[in-house]
Each structure stands twice: as structure tokens, then as C-alpha cells.
Amino acid sequence: MGVSRLDIIYRKCLLTKLFIQGWGKPDDLKRIFEFRKLIGNRETCKNLVTRDYPLFIDKIQEQTDCKILEGHFISPLEHFLPGILPAESVKARFQFIVPKEWRRNYRPVCIHLAGTGDHFFWRRRTLMARPMIKETGMASLLLENPYYGYRKPKDQVRSSLKNVSDLFVMGAALVLESAALLHWLEREGYWPLGMTGISMGGHMASLAVTNWPKPIPLIPCLSWSTASSVFTTGVLSKSINWRELEKQYATHTVYEEEIIRMLEYCGTDSFKMGQDFVKNSPISFGNLQNLDISSDILDFGGTGTGQMLGTDSAHQLHTHKTTMRASGAQKVRGVDETLSAVSSSSAHLDMLNTSAFSRERNRRSPHQQESLNFMKGVMDECTHIANFSVPVDPSLVIVVQAKEDAYIPRTGVRSLQEIWPGCEVRFLNGGHISAYLFKQGLFRQAIYDAFDRFIQKYSAKTHGLP
């Protein structure tokens, strides 16, 4: 299956650039990687946000078909990692769209997290929440992302996150903020509760649900198992300031000497992604950047085993990287030695023998290769679903994905069905942009189906309702 031309053209028309200031402060990366270990495990994360965590309602608007409550609370992340959020993002803001009359003897609520560029609330309120009130009488709670809308730093341009670390801070904040909202909704007697989001919002909703200690409907739309492919082979990769990332990675040894050692995810997906992308991606999708980022060479632990990257493996990779830098004319050839040391699987050897892979390898400098693979490593560390707990009941997960999505590459990446056995995946024709513009009704239907599945499996009587 190819990729959508509309996705490629649309991305070219946008001026937004990502990560213009680079990776972020090394200390911030270290702090967020350590914290990821806490929120990656439901048992250690479920008690981080108390059931009585305080939320405040600031305003209530009466509409013809609904009430809109506006509220705020302090992001729980500020208590655990003080100062890591921008000052403007510390206060979390939300809108709660509630029907004037409930159609059933229970009160369902779906939390919607925002996708890339979805500032404030109007887009989700207009395209999802208000139609859901009309169609089924389901309430919606819209949480504003850190770095967006009212929570956007004054020196940030539009949706352009300044640092790679900002994305990880956003994710950690949303995991804890979602828990605070779910606890509040439970206290107020709403049931059943579910979560959804489109694109980045769907992925953030997935991370949040992995830490909720109860069965809960989850409907991630136009998202997949990791963000590493989004920023290395998807069309968004063209919007990244790769020159600054390469420069910082080459000049600051802290990234390879300290931060690499903190990465736990194996990264086999990254290796497979590079292999399959070279073989299967269309020619028109080959030049996303001046550096061709359609495949990878150095992999963070491409062991093919699916196991965690231990200290010894990380040290081995670091040693080979250091040797490669010092070897002068041997730099490019050192890649083969690195891969041989990491794995001798036939799939890896087959890739090294392909002429396409050789051409890709020879066009890149070692710094380009290293910064690209560092991006894959840190993205997998903080965003790969396999680095988090499996939801309590994966059968309540309905994933909606576009077949020709150029923003969310699935080639060579572990499928959600493999990571969450029992979840359902629905594929739509077309790409990312066309699905967002024209398939909102199918997203809503998936939400209704997931909630119905929950009610059938966990009846209202078990919740103490008539």
C-alpha cells in the first residue's frame, strides 16, 4: 500500500518547523527518561495521582443542546518534576460538554486529547463533542495539551515545539492529567468513562489508558504504536531542524555518553522500519530531507529479540559509535561492524547486501546516521506502546487507522495487535489528511462501539446503577 499524495502535498504547504532549538536540555531529558520508568508501569503509576486530586470549575455556559463547563487544575507533573513544564503550561485547562438531558440511566463521558496543531477547544468541540451530544447524548471532556492554546509558551511559534524533550514532557503531563480527570469524573458519578484522540491525541490517549487501573474504552484514531516512525520516515520528518540536531549531537558528548545508557526500549522496530521502508516506500516519498531518512543504519539494539536493551548492550553500541568516529576513512564501513556485533540474523545481513541500502548508507555522513538513530532511540523510549503496560482489557480498544497514512508509517513497526492482543483495528481508505477531514463520523462510530462493548461486558448493575 502506498502513501497519500494529499498528505505529502499538505505537509509541503505548511511552514511549521519542529525542534528548532534541538534536543532540549540534557538534564531535562535525563529527568523525563527516569520518570518514564515510573509511568511506564501501571503499578508504580496508578498511585501518583490521588483520587481526590483537586479540580476547579471556573465557568458554566448554557447552550441550546448542552452545558459547557470550563475548569482548571495544576498539572500533577509539576509536583514530580518541578520546573520541567513551561510556566504557561503548569495550569491545565479543560472544557466539559454535557447534554442537558441524559438519554439513558447512566452518564457516559469520553475524554478527547488534542492532536498536532489543535489549539484551544473549538475544533474538537465542533467536529466531535457537539455531534456526539446530538447523535447519542454522550458527554465529552476536552483537555488542552501543554504547549498549546492557553498553555503555549510566549516564545513558541504556533505548534512548533522548540525541543525534542518538549514532546516527552507533554506526554508525561497528559498521562497524569488524564488520570486526574478520570478520578474527578468518577467522583462526580459519571460512567462509563473512555478516552480518544486523533493523530498525536490518539497516541497520548493510548499512553494514558495504559496507566488506568480499570477496564476503559480507548479509541485512538490515526495513531500507531510509536512516534519514532513519525519523526524519522513520516512526512513530518521534513519539518525537523535536522542540522541543529546533528550539530548538538556531534558537539555534546552527554547524549552518547550518558543519555544513550538510559534508553531501555530494544529498538528492533527502528531496524525493521529502515529495512522495509527502503524496499516498499514509493519513489515520490524518498526525499523528505536533504539527508535521505528512509532507512536506518545504526540501531539501538537491533538484536531481533524484542528484549530490553541492557547496560552491556548500550555500552557495546557506544563503544562501536566511538570507534566509528575515530576511524577516519573507516567511518562508513564501521556501520557494518556495528550491526554484525549487535546481530547476525539473516534479515539484517540481507539488508546489508541490497544495493538500495548501500546507496542510502553511502550518501550519509556518520553524524547524520547517529543523530537519526538517536532520534529513533529517544522516541521509542518515551512513546513506544511496548514500553508501557498493556491496558487492563485490550478488547475495549478500537484503533482507527488510514491505509495510506504518510504521517504515521506502519512499515516495519510492531503492530498494536501484537502488543495489545485482543484489540480491534479498523482501516479506512485514504491518508491522514483525508481521514481527518472526511471520516470524523467513523471515528465517532468507533467510540460508540467501544462504549457499547464496555457496557455489554461490564454492565451498569456491576457499577451500582439500575
Side-chain angles (χ1 to χ4, degrees):
M1 181 63 69
V3 294
S4 166
R5 290 184 178 272
L6 176 60
D7 286 359
I8 298 172
I9 294 171
Y10 182 82
R11 179 61 248 177
K12 288 181 178 179
C13 293
L14 297 182
L15 301 176
T16 302
K17 293 294 182 181
L18 295 172
F19 314 140
I20 57 177
Q21 293 185 9
W23 301 103
K25 297 178 182 178
D27 285 345
D28 285 349
L29 284 170
K30 293 177 186 178
R31 293 171 73 195
I32 204 67
F33 288 173
E34 287 293 339
F35 193 67
R36 205 284 308 158
K37 297 175 185 177
L38 286 178
I39 62 174
N41 186 310
R42 184 164 52 245
E43 292 305 309
T44 57
C45 182
K46 67 181 182 182
N47 296 320
L48 295 181
V49 180
T50 61
R51 294 183 180 181
D52 59 350
Y53 193 86
L55 276 72
F56 307 94
I57 300 299
D58 305 314
K59 182 179 178 181
I60 300 178
Q61 303 177 48
E62 294 285 345
Q63 304 285 322
T64 56
D65 59 340
C66 65
K67 291 190 299 183
I68 300 178
L69 289 71
E70 297 187 6
H72 78 276
F73 59 99
I74 300 302
S75 176
L77 186 64
E78 180 66 12
H79 304 308
F80 295 100
L81 299 178
I84 202 164
L85 279 167
E88 298 88 345
S89 297
V90 171
K91 181 186 288 187
R93 299 173 183 267
F94 65 91
Q95 278 192 358
F96 189 25
I97 295 87
V98 185
K100 287 204 167 177
E101 293 184 5
W102 298 95
R103 299 186 186 180
R104 303 182 184 181
N105 59 351
Y106 45 86
R107 301 185 293 170
V109 180
C110 188
I111 297 176
H112 302 248
L113 299 188
T116 302
D118 190 353
H119 294 261
F120 304 104
F121 307 106
W122 66 269
R123 194 180 301 178
R124 283 170 290 162
R125 187 175 63 241
T126 302
L127 297 178
M128 295 293 284
R130 296 297 281 267
M132 288 170 65
I133 292 276
K134 181 178 180 181
E135 293 167 357
T136 64
M138 183 181 294
S140 295
L141 194 152
L142 317 179
L143 174 63
E144 186 159 62
N145 288 1
Y147 301 94
Y148 279 17
Y150 293 113
R151 307 179 72 182
K152 183 172 76 70
K154 291 181 176 61
D155 58 347
Q156 177 180 301
V157 179
R158 296 186 295 274
S159 307
S160 303
L161 297 182
K162 294 179 294 182
N163 303 293
V164 174
S165 60
D166 293 345
L167 183 67
F168 307 149
V169 172
M170 179 193 290
L174 288 173
V175 167
L176 300 186
E177 291 167 14
S178 297
L181 290 170
L182 289 167
H183 283 310
W184 178 73
L185 290 169
E186 279 195 338
R187 294 200 307 269
E188 295 296 316
Y190 295 101
W191 183 92
L193 308 177
M195 294 197 66
T196 189
I198 300 174
S199 191
M200 180 180 71
H203 196 83
M204 296 298 185
S206 297
L207 298 182
V209 164
T210 64
N211 288 287
W212 187 243
K214 301 177 183 179
I216 181 173
L218 167 65
I219 309 89
C221 303
L222 307 182
S223 67
W224 204 234
S225 56
T226 179
S228 65
S229 58
V230 174
F231 295 105
T232 55
T233 64
V235 292
L236 274 182
S237 60
K238 188 173 182 180
S239 67
I240 292 175
N241 186 359
W242 286 105
R243 286 189 178 182
E244 181 62 25
L245 294 176
E246 293 163 14
K247 176 183 175 182
Q248 291 183 11
Y249 188 80
T251 57
H252 299 289
T253 58
V254 64
Y255 296 114
E256 63 173 324
E257 291 182 354
E258 298 181 37
I259 293 178
I260 279 181
R261 299 175 188 273
M262 301 180 71
L263 305 182
E264 290 192 350
Y265 184 69
C266 173
T268 53
D269 287 6
S270 298
F271 193 98
K272 290 171 60 183
M273 178 174 61
Q275 179 183 8
D276 295 340
F277 194 84
V278 168
K279 292 180 180 179
N280 302 323
S281 62
I283 296 175
S284 62
F285 197 49
N287 295 316
L288 291 176
Q289 263 303 100
N290 291 332
L291 76 100
D292 192 333
I293 48 180
S294 61
S295 67
D296 71 286
I297 298 177
L298 287 175
D299 181 47
F300 286 125
T303 59
T305 64
Q307 302 298 314
M308 303 297 274
L309 178 66
T311 303
D312 292 342
S313 298
H315 176 70
Q316 182 185 38
L317 176 59
H318 168 65
T319 301
H320 280 282
K321 284 163 60 65
T322 303
T323 302
M324 187 172 124
R325 281 184 169 177
S327 62
Q330 300 295 323
K331 285 181 177 180
V332 173
R333 289 197 296 273
V335 175
D336 294 341
E337 298 172 6
T338 301
L339 288 175
S340 298
V342 173
S343 174
S344 58
S345 68
S346 59
H348 292 187
L349 297 176
D350 288 344
M351 189 173 94
L352 290 173
N353 290 330
T354 62
S355 59
F357 182 79
S358 297
R359 289 193 298 271
E360 300 291 339
R361 177 188 64 191
N362 293 332
R363 276 205 296 266
R364 297 200 205 104
S365 72
H367 290 326
Q368 290 173 339
Q369 297 163 3
E370 292 172 7
S371 60
L372 175 63
N373 282 277
F374 186 68
M375 175 71 83
K376 289 180 179 179
V378 296
M379 283 289 171
D380 275 341
E381 169 65 23
C382 287
T383 72
H384 205 299
I385 293 297
N387 238 6
F388 293 76
S389 298
V390 176
V392 173
D393 188 348
S395 72
L396 303 176
V397 178
I398 299 180
V399 182
V400 184
Q401 180 55 269
K403 291 181 179 178
E404 300 175 4
D405 197 325
Y407 280 79
I408 317 291
R410 299 184 305 277
T411 301
V413 179
R414 291 178 66 193
S415 70
L416 282 172
Q417 299 104 310
E418 178 187 349
I419 302 169
W420 292 345
C423 73
E424 177 185 351
V425 179
R426 300 178 180 180
F427 286 100
L428 310 177
N429 291 325
H432 197 88
I433 301 302
S434 62
Y436 182 85
L437 293 175
F438 307 116
K439 304 297 176 64
Q440 299 273 345
L442 296 178
F443 300 158
R444 295 195 298 273
Q445 186 59 55
I447 293 173
Y448 307 149
D449 292 345
F451 272 73
D452 288 343
R453 189 175 296 172
F454 176 90
I455 292 169
Q456 293 172 5
K457 198 167 184 178
Y458 305 93
S459 69
K461 290 184 179 180
T462 65
H463 191 68
L465 298 175

